[in-house]
Amino acid sequence: MICINNPYTDPYFNIAAEKYLLQHSSEGVFMMWQNEPSVIIGKHQNVRTEVNVDFADQHRIKIGRRISGGGAVYHDLGNVNLTFIESNKKPDFNKYPQLIIDFLATIGIQAQPDKRLGLTINGLKISGSAQYIYKDRTMFHASLLFSTDLFVLEKVLDSPDTDPRTYLRSVKCPVTNISEHLSGSMQIEQFKHLIMKHFSGENYLLNNQDIAEIERLKMNNNDNIRY
């Protein structure tokens, strides 16, 4: 498995990077990445029923749509995202939350899975996930709230709009940050270092060809939503 510590924080680039690695790589992939303030909605969701667009506009929060299903998530630089991509004709998506639970246990966090393959601490959500299958390739990606601005998260995901048509609506859950449950202080850079150490493999840097192809996918993605 190749391990990528992705330094890019443009949400549109990172959405495209996942798609590129899923469709054009034959190896197993683990990628850790972060986004600047943004809301990423699921494939089947309606923007205006999921996002407070006026708040997003006022605070320059980008909005994008990923290729997987699931609900809307807020990302900022206090949030860390993990992507697992494998070739598997009989995928078992339940194994990935357990991999993350095992990592969190190494830093003293006892997390529990929920029925949507998310993670909680004492009933408070710290991670949401989504999945996608492309031919014989599977992708599981999850967010980890480490030190996210929870006030902004709550505001931007509180849409005042309703729509009578049927869309996949996000399930609202109370959330918390992992950093609040640690026995000692830890900065997010140390948290990221420990993640990469735990999921160690063949380190891989996106090369110029990778970046060019990802940029091409990014420019052709009509689901990049800018306000």
Side-chain angles (χ1 to χ4, degrees):
M1 176 176 285
I2 62 172
C3 293
I4 302 172
N5 186 354
N6 177 357
Y8 298 93
T9 59
D10 173 8
Y12 305 129
F13 180 92
N14 288 330
I15 289 171
E18 286 191 309
K19 185 175 181 179
Y20 169 75
L21 292 166
L22 177 68
Q23 296 183 355
H24 298 281
S25 173
S26 59
E27 298 183 79
V29 176
F30 170 77
M31 181 169 70
M32 181 181 72
W33 49 284
Q34 292 179 282
N35 280 337
E36 60 194 55
S38 53
V39 176
I40 311 300
I41 65 172
K43 179 180 180 181
H44 305 292
Q45 293 193 295
N46 178 289
V47 174
R48 291 192 174 274
T49 56
E50 296 298 323
V51 184
N52 185 327
V53 174
D54 290 339
F55 184 90
D57 187 26
Q58 292 165 11
H59 293 81
R60 298 185 178 181
I61 297 171
K62 295 180 179 179
I63 305 171
R65 187 188 304 275
R66 60 182 182 270
I67 61 174
S68 61
V73 290
Y74 172 70
H75 291 170
D76 63 14
L77 295 180
N79 179 88
V80 179
N81 303 293
L82 309 179
T83 301
F84 300 86
I85 299 173
E86 294 183 305
S87 295
N88 196 331
K89 294 183 179 180
K90 295 182 179 180
D92 176 15
F93 289 117
N94 290 288
K95 73 177 185 179
Y96 300 107
Q98 187 60 51
L99 292 175
I100 301 172
I101 288 171
D102 292 344
F103 160 69
L104 291 172
T106 68
I107 60 171
I109 296 294
Q110 303 303 313
Q112 299 83 37
D114 65 24
K115 62 183 179 180
R116 297 182 184 85
L117 302 184
L119 301 178
T120 63
I121 299 174
N122 299 327
L124 300 174
K125 194 163 187 175
I126 58 167
S127 175
S129 72
Q131 309 81 43
Y132 190 78
I133 298 175
Y134 173 77
K135 297 182 179 179
D136 67 341
R137 300 277 282 168
T138 61
M139 179 174 72
F140 176 95
H141 46 191
S143 59
L144 284 172
L145 297 174
F146 184 79
S147 54
T148 291
D149 188 328
L150 300 183
F151 173 80
V152 174
L153 180 152
E154 180 179 355
K155 289 293 186 181
V156 77
L157 294 181
D158 185 18
S159 170
D161 294 343
T162 59
D163 193 311
R165 292 172 291 180
T166 302
Y167 294 99
L168 176 65
R169 297 299 304 272
S170 297
V171 178
K172 304 293 185 183
C173 302
V175 297
T176 189
N177 278 313
I178 292 167
S179 60
E180 297 177 15
H181 301 269
L182 294 169
S183 59
S185 63
M186 180 185 295
Q187 299 301 313
I188 194 164
E189 289 303 318
Q190 182 183 0
F191 181 66
K192 290 163 58 181
H193 171 76
L194 293 172
I195 290 173
M196 291 303 296
K197 183 178 178 181
H198 183 83
F199 293 102
S200 61
E202 179 187 353
N203 290 334
Y204 181 82
L205 296 175
L206 296 174
N207 59 40
N208 290 338
Q209 181 179 348
D210 295 329
I211 294 169
E213 288 297 316
I214 292 168
E215 288 287 355
R216 182 184 62 80
L217 285 173
K218 169 186 164 181
M219 295 305 297
N220 292 334
N221 185 4
N222 293 327
D223 288 325
N224 292 342
I225 305 157
R226 299 177 175 85
Y227 290 91

